[in-house]
Amino acid sequence: MYIVMLGAPGSGKGTIGKILSHDLGLTHVSTGDIFREQSNKKTELGKKIREYMESGALVPDEVVIETVKARLLEEDVKDGAILDGFPRTVAQAEALRDFLKENRPEAKRVAIELDVPDAEIVRRVVNRLICTNKACGEIYNKETRPPKQEGICDVCGSELKRRKDDNEETVTKRLDIYHQNSKNLIDFYRKNNALYSIYPQELEVAVKKIEEFLEEYKRK
Ligand code: AMP
């Protein structure tokens, strides 16, 4: 099964996506993580990607689609994956649909929408801290999910940092861009009868509800 996580930046796609990945045994693929890695490279493409990300703009569809197609041809995602942060536009959703139809015709496809009010999004994003150990990547929140020891990851003991694009100015822009695309994107999945929307207030409750939905969906 391929599970698409939809939601504004800071809605919990990464946190919930990683829990689902662990519970369902599906690889977690985050386009944001892939682009952050590419942006550290000193190539022309790396430089361009860094500019888009740091300003809060989207990376162009052609680049995103090629990147994801290449990733989805790898062995660990041949039976399914949790896609976090992709698609973000209808063009990307169509490209994913066509790619899966061609390459994984039997696979089920479903979207989970994390629907969080804007005011809460801004609070979540400016308080977000991420583990700097890429293999861990645990996500914290200074207010709602603080680490036991300030600045240190509970899971692996590495340093926690704020993402460069997690500031109030950039998050407002990212949120605007999200709203420009989200209605059409959500309609796209609703039309396919493969959309589950939830306002994730308490993490454990939200995960339980999503997993119940997915269990039911698998049996259909
Ligand atoms: P994220 O970690 O998902 O918040 O993504 C961080 C940044 O990476 C975004 O603000 C975009 O600049 C870029 N990005 C990630 N995924 C996509 C995508 N599917 N389409 C376009 N840009 C993306």
Side-chain angles (χ1 to χ4, degrees), residues 8-10 13 30-33 35-36 49 52-61 64 68 84-89 92 128 163 165-166 170 174:
K13 299 189 299 292
S30 152
T31 42
D33 285 350
F35 291 137
R36 265 182 289 282
I49 288 177
Y52 290 121
M53 292 179 86
E54 287 186 1
S55 72
L58 290 185
V59 174
D61 280 342
V64 180
V68 174
D84 162 8
F86 175 90
R88 265 176 157 96
T89 63
Q92 293 179 16
R128 177 157 69 178
R163 259 169 58 172
D165 57 347
D166 277 351
T170 309
R174 285 154 67 203

PDB file of all heavy atoms in Angstrom, residues 8-10 13 30-33 35-36 49 52-61 64 68 84-89 92 128 163 165-166 170 174, ligand 1:
ATOM      1  N   ALA A   8      -0.538  20.643   6.031  1.00  0.00           N
ATOM      2  CA  ALA A   8       0.344  21.815   6.011  1.00  0.00           C
ATOM      3  C   ALA A   8       1.669  21.479   6.692  1.00  0.00           C
ATOM      4  O   ALA A   8       1.752  20.483   7.426  1.00  0.00           O
ATOM      5  CB  ALA A   8      -0.357  22.955   6.747  1.00  0.00           C
ATOM      6  N   PRO A   9       2.692  22.319   6.460  1.00  0.00           N
ATOM      7  CA  PRO A   9       3.952  22.104   7.187  1.00  0.00           C
ATOM      8  C   PRO A   9       3.661  22.160   8.682  1.00  0.00           C
ATOM      9  O   PRO A   9       2.920  23.037   9.137  1.00  0.00           O
ATOM     10  CB  PRO A   9       4.821  23.290   6.764  1.00  0.00           C
ATOM     11  CG  PRO A   9       3.886  24.288   6.154  1.00  0.00           C
ATOM     12  CD  PRO A   9       2.739  23.514   5.605  1.00  0.00           C
ATOM     13  N   GLY A  10       4.168  21.203   9.427  1.00  0.00           N
ATOM     14  CA  GLY A  10       3.943  21.230  10.870  1.00  0.00           C
ATOM     15  C   GLY A  10       2.650  20.566  11.317  1.00  0.00           C
ATOM     16  O   GLY A  10       2.318  20.554  12.493  1.00  0.00           O
ATOM     17  N   LYS A  13       2.843  15.424   9.628  1.00  0.00           N
ATOM     18  CA  LYS A  13       3.079  14.402   8.596  1.00  0.00           C
ATOM     19  C   LYS A  13       4.304  13.547   8.928  1.00  0.00           C
ATOM     20  O   LYS A  13       4.277  12.333   8.793  1.00  0.00           O
ATOM     21  CB  LYS A  13       3.293  15.039   7.213  1.00  0.00           C
ATOM     22  CG  LYS A  13       2.126  15.845   6.700  1.00  0.00           C
ATOM     23  CD  LYS A  13       2.330  16.251   5.247  1.00  0.00           C
ATOM     24  CE  LYS A  13       3.536  17.129   4.984  1.00  0.00           C
ATOM     25  NZ  LYS A  13       3.434  18.494   5.570  1.00  0.00           N
ATOM     26  N   SER A  30      10.434  10.879   2.695  1.00  0.00           N
ATOM     27  CA  SER A  30      10.111  12.300   2.852  1.00  0.00           C
ATOM     28  C   SER A  30      10.851  13.085   1.776  1.00  0.00           C
ATOM     29  O   SER A  30      12.089  13.075   1.736  1.00  0.00           O
ATOM     30  CB  SER A  30      10.533  12.759   4.250  1.00  0.00           C
ATOM     31  OG  SER A  30      10.838  14.135   4.233  1.00  0.00           O
ATOM     32  N   THR A  31      10.094  13.769   0.915  1.00  0.00           N
ATOM     33  CA  THR A  31      10.772  14.559  -0.128  1.00  0.00           C
ATOM     34  C   THR A  31      11.552  15.708   0.517  1.00  0.00           C
ATOM     35  O   THR A  31      12.622  16.074   0.051  1.00  0.00           O
ATOM     36  CB  THR A  31       9.767  15.105  -1.168  1.00  0.00           C
ATOM     37  OG1 THR A  31       8.607  15.576  -0.492  1.00  0.00           O
ATOM     38  CG2 THR A  31       9.405  14.070  -2.178  1.00  0.00           C
ATOM     39  N   GLY A  32      11.040  16.254   1.627  1.00  0.00           N
ATOM     40  CA  GLY A  32      11.772  17.311   2.339  1.00  0.00           C
ATOM     41  C   GLY A  32      13.145  16.809   2.768  1.00  0.00           C
ATOM     42  O   GLY A  32      14.151  17.497   2.598  1.00  0.00           O
ATOM     43  N   ASP A  33      13.208  15.588   3.316  1.00  0.00           N
ATOM     44  CA  ASP A  33      14.498  15.017   3.744  1.00  0.00           C
ATOM     45  C   ASP A  33      15.412  14.812   2.533  1.00  0.00           C
ATOM     46  O   ASP A  33      16.609  15.109   2.591  1.00  0.00           O
ATOM     47  CB  ASP A  33      14.290  13.654   4.437  1.00  0.00           C
ATOM     48  CG  ASP A  33      13.727  13.810   5.851  1.00  0.00           C
ATOM     49  OD1 ASP A  33      13.679  14.946   6.344  1.00  0.00           O
ATOM     50  OD2 ASP A  33      13.329  12.784   6.440  1.00  0.00           O
ATOM     51  N   PHE A  35      15.386  16.449  -0.285  1.00  0.00           N
ATOM     52  CA  PHE A  35      15.865  17.752  -0.783  1.00  0.00           C
ATOM     53  C   PHE A  35      16.844  18.406   0.191  1.00  0.00           C
ATOM     54  O   PHE A  35      17.764  19.096  -0.232  1.00  0.00           O
ATOM     55  CB  PHE A  35      14.687  18.688  -1.102  1.00  0.00           C
ATOM     56  CG  PHE A  35      13.888  18.241  -2.295  1.00  0.00           C
ATOM     57  CD1 PHE A  35      12.508  18.278  -2.287  1.00  0.00           C
ATOM     58  CD2 PHE A  35      14.526  17.775  -3.436  1.00  0.00           C
ATOM     59  CE1 PHE A  35      11.773  17.850  -3.385  1.00  0.00           C
ATOM     60  CE2 PHE A  35      13.807  17.347  -4.550  1.00  0.00           C
ATOM     61  CZ  PHE A  35      12.423  17.388  -4.520  1.00  0.00           C
ATOM     62  N   ARG A  36      16.643  18.206   1.498  1.00  0.00           N
ATOM     63  CA  ARG A  36      17.603  18.777   2.461  1.00  0.00           C
ATOM     64  C   ARG A  36      18.987  18.163   2.227  1.00  0.00           C
ATOM     65  O   ARG A  36      20.002  18.839   2.277  1.00  0.00           O
ATOM     66  CB  ARG A  36      17.148  18.524   3.912  1.00  0.00           C
ATOM     67  CG  ARG A  36      16.367  19.707   4.487  1.00  0.00           C
ATOM     68  CD  ARG A  36      15.947  19.485   5.928  1.00  0.00           C
ATOM     69  NE  ARG A  36      14.907  18.485   6.058  1.00  0.00           N
ATOM     70  CZ  ARG A  36      13.624  18.695   5.792  1.00  0.00           C
ATOM     71  NH1 ARG A  36      13.221  19.885   5.400  1.00  0.00           N
ATOM     72  NH2 ARG A  36      12.730  17.747   5.912  1.00  0.00           N
ATOM     73  N   ILE A  49      18.036  24.127  -5.127  1.00  0.00           N
ATOM     74  CA  ILE A  49      17.084  23.539  -4.179  1.00  0.00           C
ATOM     75  C   ILE A  49      17.163  24.270  -2.843  1.00  0.00           C
ATOM     76  O   ILE A  49      16.152  24.580  -2.220  1.00  0.00           O
ATOM     77  CB  ILE A  49      17.346  22.020  -4.026  1.00  0.00           C
ATOM     78  CG1 ILE A  49      16.893  21.321  -5.300  1.00  0.00           C
ATOM     79  CG2 ILE A  49      16.633  21.446  -2.812  1.00  0.00           C
ATOM     80  CD1 ILE A  49      17.145  19.842  -5.357  1.00  0.00           C
ATOM     81  N   TYR A  52      15.191  27.524  -3.016  1.00  0.00           N
ATOM     82  CA  TYR A  52      13.734  27.313  -2.919  1.00  0.00           C
ATOM     83  C   TYR A  52      13.344  27.034  -1.471  1.00  0.00           C
ATOM     84  O   TYR A  52      12.418  27.623  -0.931  1.00  0.00           O
ATOM     85  CB  TYR A  52      13.291  26.111  -3.766  1.00  0.00           C
ATOM     86  CG  TYR A  52      13.371  26.327  -5.252  1.00  0.00           C
ATOM     87  CD1 TYR A  52      14.160  25.499  -6.052  1.00  0.00           C
ATOM     88  CD2 TYR A  52      12.641  27.333  -5.876  1.00  0.00           C
ATOM     89  CE1 TYR A  52      14.234  25.680  -7.420  1.00  0.00           C
ATOM     90  CE2 TYR A  52      12.705  27.514  -7.250  1.00  0.00           C
ATOM     91  CZ  TYR A  52      13.508  26.684  -8.010  1.00  0.00           C
ATOM     92  OH  TYR A  52      13.566  26.867  -9.366  1.00  0.00           O
ATOM     93  N   MET A  53      14.065  26.118  -0.851  1.00  0.00           N
ATOM     94  CA  MET A  53      13.675  25.685   0.492  1.00  0.00           C
ATOM     95  C   MET A  53      13.803  26.805   1.510  1.00  0.00           C
ATOM     96  O   MET A  53      12.917  27.003   2.332  1.00  0.00           O
ATOM     97  CB  MET A  53      14.530  24.488   0.939  1.00  0.00           C
ATOM     98  CG  MET A  53      14.243  23.252   0.141  1.00  0.00           C
ATOM     99  SD  MET A  53      15.271  21.882   0.642  1.00  0.00           S
ATOM    100  CE  MET A  53      14.310  21.230   1.986  1.00  0.00           C
ATOM    101  N   GLU A  54      14.903  27.525   1.427  1.00  0.00           N
ATOM    102  CA  GLU A  54      15.126  28.565   2.445  1.00  0.00           C
ATOM    103  C   GLU A  54      14.139  29.715   2.315  1.00  0.00           C
ATOM    104  O   GLU A  54      13.832  30.399   3.281  1.00  0.00           O
ATOM    105  CB  GLU A  54      16.577  29.053   2.419  1.00  0.00           C
ATOM    106  CG  GLU A  54      17.483  27.989   3.007  1.00  0.00           C
ATOM    107  CD  GLU A  54      18.926  28.419   3.165  1.00  0.00           C
ATOM    108  OE1 GLU A  54      19.255  29.569   2.832  1.00  0.00           O
ATOM    109  OE2 GLU A  54      19.729  27.575   3.623  1.00  0.00           O
ATOM    110  N   SER A  55      13.599  29.916   1.089  1.00  0.00           N
ATOM    111  CA  SER A  55      12.623  31.000   0.939  1.00  0.00           C
ATOM    112  C   SER A  55      11.206  30.494   1.206  1.00  0.00           C
ATOM    113  O   SER A  55      10.258  31.266   1.208  1.00  0.00           O
ATOM    114  CB  SER A  55      12.712  31.585  -0.470  1.00  0.00           C
ATOM    115  OG  SER A  55      12.176  30.651  -1.382  1.00  0.00           O
ATOM    116  N   GLY A  56      11.056  29.181   1.376  1.00  0.00           N
ATOM    117  CA  GLY A  56       9.722  28.623   1.644  1.00  0.00           C
ATOM    118  C   GLY A  56       8.965  28.286   0.371  1.00  0.00           C
ATOM    119  O   GLY A  56       7.793  27.908   0.418  1.00  0.00           O
ATOM    120  N   ALA A  57       9.627  28.435  -0.809  1.00  0.00           N
ATOM    121  CA  ALA A  57       8.953  28.127  -2.083  1.00  0.00           C
ATOM    122  C   ALA A  57       8.998  26.623  -2.356  1.00  0.00           C
ATOM    123  O   ALA A  57       9.797  25.900  -1.753  1.00  0.00           O
ATOM    124  CB  ALA A  57       9.650  28.870  -3.214  1.00  0.00           C
ATOM    125  N   LEU A  58       8.150  26.177  -3.280  1.00  0.00           N
ATOM    126  CA  LEU A  58       8.187  24.770  -3.672  1.00  0.00           C
ATOM    127  C   LEU A  58       9.297  24.537  -4.688  1.00  0.00           C
ATOM    128  O   LEU A  58       9.567  25.398  -5.527  1.00  0.00           O
ATOM    129  CB  LEU A  58       6.858  24.349  -4.312  1.00  0.00           C
ATOM    130  CG  LEU A  58       5.628  24.257  -3.415  1.00  0.00           C
ATOM    131  CD1 LEU A  58       4.448  23.704  -4.217  1.00  0.00           C
ATOM    132  CD2 LEU A  58       5.872  23.406  -2.184  1.00  0.00           C
ATOM    133  N   VAL A  59       9.895  23.389  -4.633  1.00  0.00           N
ATOM    134  CA  VAL A  59      10.827  22.954  -5.675  1.00  0.00           C
ATOM    135  C   VAL A  59       9.958  22.665  -6.915  1.00  0.00           C
ATOM    136  O   VAL A  59       8.839  22.153  -6.777  1.00  0.00           O
ATOM    137  CB  VAL A  59      11.572  21.679  -5.195  1.00  0.00           C
ATOM    138  CG1 VAL A  59      12.451  21.101  -6.282  1.00  0.00           C
ATOM    139  CG2 VAL A  59      12.389  21.985  -3.929  1.00  0.00           C
ATOM    140  N   PRO A  60      10.412  23.032  -8.145  1.00  0.00           N
ATOM    141  CA  PRO A  60       9.561  22.847  -9.330  1.00  0.00           C
ATOM    142  C   PRO A  60       9.116  21.392  -9.535  1.00  0.00           C
ATOM    143  O   PRO A  60       9.870  20.463  -9.248  1.00  0.00           O
ATOM    144  CB  PRO A  60      10.460  23.305 -10.491  1.00  0.00           C
ATOM    145  CG  PRO A  60      11.495  24.151  -9.863  1.00  0.00           C
ATOM    146  CD  PRO A  60      11.689  23.658  -8.474  1.00  0.00           C
ATOM    147  N   ASP A  61       7.888  21.249 -10.043  1.00  0.00           N
ATOM    148  CA  ASP A  61       7.300  19.920 -10.228  1.00  0.00           C
ATOM    149  C   ASP A  61       8.210  18.940 -10.975  1.00  0.00           C
ATOM    150  O   ASP A  61       8.324  17.780 -10.580  1.00  0.00           O
ATOM    151  CB  ASP A  61       5.971  20.036 -11.004  1.00  0.00           C
ATOM    152  CG  ASP A  61       4.816  20.468 -10.091  1.00  0.00           C
ATOM    153  OD1 ASP A  61       4.949  20.355  -8.853  1.00  0.00           O
ATOM    154  OD2 ASP A  61       3.793  20.927 -10.635  1.00  0.00           O
ATOM    155  N   VAL A  64      10.821  17.564  -8.738  1.00  0.00           N
ATOM    156  CA  VAL A  64      10.234  16.730  -7.680  1.00  0.00           C
ATOM    157  C   VAL A  64       9.806  15.375  -8.265  1.00  0.00           C
ATOM    158  O   VAL A  64      10.100  14.313  -7.700  1.00  0.00           O
ATOM    159  CB  VAL A  64       8.999  17.432  -7.058  1.00  0.00           C
ATOM    160  CG1 VAL A  64       8.383  16.577  -5.977  1.00  0.00           C
ATOM    161  CG2 VAL A  64       9.378  18.790  -6.497  1.00  0.00           C
ATOM    162  N   VAL A  68      11.199  11.681  -7.186  1.00  0.00           N
ATOM    163  CA  VAL A  68      10.358  10.670  -6.525  1.00  0.00           C
ATOM    164  C   VAL A  68      10.280   9.402  -7.379  1.00  0.00           C
ATOM    165  O   VAL A  68      10.345   8.284  -6.846  1.00  0.00           O
ATOM    166  CB  VAL A  68       8.952  11.237  -6.228  1.00  0.00           C
ATOM    167  CG1 VAL A  68       8.036  10.152  -5.686  1.00  0.00           C
ATOM    168  CG2 VAL A  68       9.055  12.375  -5.225  1.00  0.00           C
ATOM    169  N   ASP A  84       5.692  11.233   2.541  1.00  0.00           N
ATOM    170  CA  ASP A  84       5.510  12.389   3.430  1.00  0.00           C
ATOM    171  C   ASP A  84       5.992  13.642   2.703  1.00  0.00           C
ATOM    172  O   ASP A  84       7.166  13.761   2.384  1.00  0.00           O
ATOM    173  CB  ASP A  84       6.312  12.084   4.712  1.00  0.00           C
ATOM    174  CG  ASP A  84       6.603  13.295   5.572  1.00  0.00           C
ATOM    175  OD1 ASP A  84       6.081  14.381   5.287  1.00  0.00           O
ATOM    176  OD2 ASP A  84       7.372  13.134   6.533  1.00  0.00           O
ATOM    177  N   GLY A  85       5.045  14.533   2.402  1.00  0.00           N
ATOM    178  CA  GLY A  85       5.419  15.789   1.726  1.00  0.00           C
ATOM    179  C   GLY A  85       5.337  15.688   0.210  1.00  0.00           C
ATOM    180  O   GLY A  85       5.726  16.615  -0.493  1.00  0.00           O
ATOM    181  N   PHE A  86       4.841  14.599  -0.287  1.00  0.00           N
ATOM    182  CA  PHE A  86       4.636  14.406  -1.733  1.00  0.00           C
ATOM    183  C   PHE A  86       3.365  13.587  -1.917  1.00  0.00           C
ATOM    184  O   PHE A  86       3.197  12.581  -1.235  1.00  0.00           O
ATOM    185  CB  PHE A  86       5.815  13.652  -2.350  1.00  0.00           C
ATOM    186  CG  PHE A  86       5.598  13.311  -3.808  1.00  0.00           C
ATOM    187  CD1 PHE A  86       5.989  14.189  -4.795  1.00  0.00           C
ATOM    188  CD2 PHE A  86       4.966  12.129  -4.177  1.00  0.00           C
ATOM    189  CE1 PHE A  86       5.770  13.890  -6.135  1.00  0.00           C
ATOM    190  CE2 PHE A  86       4.746  11.834  -5.518  1.00  0.00           C
ATOM    191  CZ  PHE A  86       5.148  12.714  -6.495  1.00  0.00           C
ATOM    192  N   PRO A  87       2.471  13.943  -2.824  1.00  0.00           N
ATOM    193  CA  PRO A  87       2.497  15.119  -3.693  1.00  0.00           C
ATOM    194  C   PRO A  87       2.060  16.388  -2.965  1.00  0.00           C
ATOM    195  O   PRO A  87       1.353  16.341  -1.981  1.00  0.00           O
ATOM    196  CB  PRO A  87       1.486  14.744  -4.775  1.00  0.00           C
ATOM    197  CG  PRO A  87       0.545  13.787  -4.132  1.00  0.00           C
ATOM    198  CD  PRO A  87       1.316  13.053  -3.101  1.00  0.00           C
ATOM    199  N   ARG A  88       2.494  17.513  -3.532  1.00  0.00           N
ATOM    200  CA  ARG A  88       2.074  18.805  -2.997  1.00  0.00           C
ATOM    201  C   ARG A  88       1.286  19.597  -4.032  1.00  0.00           C
ATOM    202  O   ARG A  88       0.766  20.664  -3.720  1.00  0.00           O
ATOM    203  CB  ARG A  88       3.305  19.624  -2.597  1.00  0.00           C
ATOM    204  CG  ARG A  88       3.677  19.492  -1.106  1.00  0.00           C
ATOM    205  CD  ARG A  88       4.953  20.278  -0.914  1.00  0.00           C
ATOM    206  NE  ARG A  88       5.218  20.740   0.416  1.00  0.00           N
ATOM    207  CZ  ARG A  88       5.990  20.097   1.291  1.00  0.00           C
ATOM    208  NH1 ARG A  88       6.481  18.919   1.023  1.00  0.00           N
ATOM    209  NH2 ARG A  88       6.238  20.637   2.464  1.00  0.00           N
ATOM    210  N   THR A  89       1.225  19.117  -5.273  1.00  0.00           N
ATOM    211  CA  THR A  89       0.424  19.773  -6.317  1.00  0.00           C
ATOM    212  C   THR A  89      -0.340  18.683  -7.069  1.00  0.00           C
ATOM    213  O   THR A  89       0.034  17.499  -6.999  1.00  0.00           O
ATOM    214  CB  THR A  89       1.324  20.518  -7.336  1.00  0.00           C
ATOM    215  OG1 THR A  89       2.151  19.532  -8.003  1.00  0.00           O
ATOM    216  CG2 THR A  89       2.217  21.558  -6.689  1.00  0.00           C
ATOM    217  N   GLN A  92       1.813  16.754  -9.441  1.00  0.00           N
ATOM    218  CA  GLN A  92       2.591  15.688  -8.775  1.00  0.00           C
ATOM    219  C   GLN A  92       1.697  14.490  -8.470  1.00  0.00           C
ATOM    220  O   GLN A  92       2.112  13.333  -8.630  1.00  0.00           O
ATOM    221  CB  GLN A  92       3.210  16.208  -7.476  1.00  0.00           C
ATOM    222  CG  GLN A  92       4.275  17.269  -7.685  1.00  0.00           C
ATOM    223  CD  GLN A  92       4.853  17.794  -6.366  1.00  0.00           C
ATOM    224  OE1 GLN A  92       4.703  17.194  -5.314  1.00  0.00           O
ATOM    225  NE2 GLN A  92       5.525  18.930  -6.430  1.00  0.00           N
ATOM    226  N   ARG A 128       9.242  23.731  16.765  1.00  0.00           N
ATOM    227  CA  ARG A 128       9.695  22.390  16.371  1.00  0.00           C
ATOM    228  C   ARG A 128      11.213  22.261  16.493  1.00  0.00           C
ATOM    229  O   ARG A 128      11.969  23.153  16.130  1.00  0.00           O
ATOM    230  CB  ARG A 128       9.258  22.146  14.915  1.00  0.00           C
ATOM    231  CG  ARG A 128       9.718  20.842  14.343  1.00  0.00           C
ATOM    232  CD  ARG A 128       8.852  20.406  13.203  1.00  0.00           C
ATOM    233  NE  ARG A 128       8.983  21.232  11.994  1.00  0.00           N
ATOM    234  CZ  ARG A 128       8.321  20.986  10.872  1.00  0.00           C
ATOM    235  NH1 ARG A 128       7.486  19.961  10.798  1.00  0.00           N
ATOM    236  NH2 ARG A 128       8.471  21.763   9.821  1.00  0.00           N
ATOM    237  N   ARG A 163      14.904  23.640  12.256  1.00  0.00           N
ATOM    238  CA  ARG A 163      15.153  23.676  10.820  1.00  0.00           C
ATOM    239  C   ARG A 163      15.309  25.119  10.368  1.00  0.00           C
ATOM    240  O   ARG A 163      14.644  25.997  10.902  1.00  0.00           O
ATOM    241  CB  ARG A 163      13.950  23.056  10.089  1.00  0.00           C
ATOM    242  CG  ARG A 163      14.191  21.653   9.641  1.00  0.00           C
ATOM    243  CD  ARG A 163      12.936  21.000   9.175  1.00  0.00           C
ATOM    244  NE  ARG A 163      12.262  21.700   8.084  1.00  0.00           N
ATOM    245  CZ  ARG A 163      11.213  21.205   7.429  1.00  0.00           C
ATOM    246  NH1 ARG A 163      10.729  20.024   7.770  1.00  0.00           N
ATOM    247  NH2 ARG A 163      10.640  21.868   6.457  1.00  0.00           N
ATOM    248  N   ASP A 165      14.222  26.607   7.799  1.00  0.00           N
ATOM    249  CA  ASP A 165      12.997  27.219   7.255  1.00  0.00           C
ATOM    250  C   ASP A 165      11.858  27.253   8.272  1.00  0.00           C
ATOM    251  O   ASP A 165      10.755  27.642   7.938  1.00  0.00           O
ATOM    252  CB  ASP A 165      12.557  26.503   5.962  1.00  0.00           C
ATOM    253  CG  ASP A 165      12.335  25.010   6.130  1.00  0.00           C
ATOM    254  OD1 ASP A 165      12.744  24.455   7.173  1.00  0.00           O
ATOM    255  OD2 ASP A 165      11.749  24.388   5.226  1.00  0.00           O
ATOM    256  N   ASP A 166      12.125  26.864   9.523  1.00  0.00           N
ATOM    257  CA  ASP A 166      11.064  26.897  10.543  1.00  0.00           C
ATOM    258  C   ASP A 166      11.051  28.223  11.304  1.00  0.00           C
ATOM    259  O   ASP A 166      11.217  28.277  12.518  1.00  0.00           O
ATOM    260  CB  ASP A 166      11.237  25.730  11.540  1.00  0.00           C
ATOM    261  CG  ASP A 166      10.638  24.439  11.011  1.00  0.00           C
ATOM    262  OD1 ASP A 166       9.954  24.477   9.963  1.00  0.00           O
ATOM    263  OD2 ASP A 166      10.840  23.399  11.654  1.00  0.00           O
ATOM    264  N   THR A 170       8.901  32.426   7.070  1.00  0.00           N
ATOM    265  CA  THR A 170       8.852  31.375   6.052  1.00  0.00           C
ATOM    266  C   THR A 170       7.628  30.484   6.237  1.00  0.00           C
ATOM    267  O   THR A 170       7.025  30.049   5.260  1.00  0.00           O
ATOM    268  CB  THR A 170      10.148  30.536   6.108  1.00  0.00           C
ATOM    269  OG1 THR A 170      11.225  31.438   6.073  1.00  0.00           O
ATOM    270  CG2 THR A 170      10.246  29.580   4.950  1.00  0.00           C
ATOM    271  N   ARG A 174       4.968  29.285   3.470  1.00  0.00           N
ATOM    272  CA  ARG A 174       4.731  27.857   3.184  1.00  0.00           C
ATOM    273  C   ARG A 174       3.259  27.508   3.366  1.00  0.00           C
ATOM    274  O   ARG A 174       2.699  26.711   2.623  1.00  0.00           O
ATOM    275  CB  ARG A 174       5.620  26.991   4.084  1.00  0.00           C
ATOM    276  CG  ARG A 174       7.083  26.990   3.631  1.00  0.00           C
ATOM    277  CD  ARG A 174       8.041  26.716   4.755  1.00  0.00           C
ATOM    278  NE  ARG A 174       7.960  25.394   5.306  1.00  0.00           N
ATOM    279  CZ  ARG A 174       8.366  25.083   6.553  1.00  0.00           C
ATOM    280  NH1 ARG A 174       8.860  26.006   7.346  1.00  0.00           N
ATOM    281  NH2 ARG A 174       8.274  23.851   6.968  1.00  0.00           N
TER     282      ARG A 174
HETATM  283  P1  AMP B   1       9.086  19.516   4.230  1.00  0.00           P
HETATM  284  O1  AMP B   1      10.211  18.906   5.010  1.00  0.00           O
HETATM  285  O2  AMP B   1       8.118  18.493   3.712  1.00  0.00           O
HETATM  286  O3  AMP B   1       8.400  20.631   4.979  1.00  0.00           O
HETATM  287  O4  AMP B   1       9.747  20.181   2.930  1.00  0.00           O
HETATM  288  C1  AMP B   1      10.692  21.209   3.043  1.00  0.00           C
HETATM  289  C2  AMP B   1      10.811  21.964   1.729  1.00  0.00           C
HETATM  290  O5  AMP B   1      11.236  21.053   0.689  1.00  0.00           O
HETATM  291  C3  AMP B   1       9.519  22.570   1.202  1.00  0.00           C
HETATM  292  O6  AMP B   1       9.221  23.826   1.805  1.00  0.00           O
HETATM  293  C4  AMP B   1       9.831  22.672  -0.285  1.00  0.00           C
HETATM  294  O7  AMP B   1      10.722  23.750  -0.549  1.00  0.00           O
HETATM  295  C5  AMP B   1      10.605  21.389  -0.547  1.00  0.00           C
HETATM  296  N1  AMP B   1       9.699  20.276  -0.918  1.00  0.00           N
HETATM  297  C6  AMP B   1       9.508  19.107  -0.236  1.00  0.00           C
HETATM  298  N2  AMP B   1       8.607  18.320  -0.851  1.00  0.00           N
HETATM  299  C7  AMP B   1       8.204  18.996  -1.952  1.00  0.00           C
HETATM  300  C8  AMP B   1       7.257  18.724  -2.991  1.00  0.00           C
HETATM  301  N3  AMP B   1       6.546  17.582  -3.023  1.00  0.00           N
HETATM  302  N4  AMP B   1       7.085  19.658  -3.952  1.00  0.00           N
HETATM  303  C9  AMP B   1       7.807  20.801  -3.960  1.00  0.00           C
HETATM  304  N5  AMP B   1       8.693  21.136  -3.001  1.00  0.00           N
HETATM  305  C10 AMP B   1       8.906  20.243  -2.001  1.00  0.00           C
END
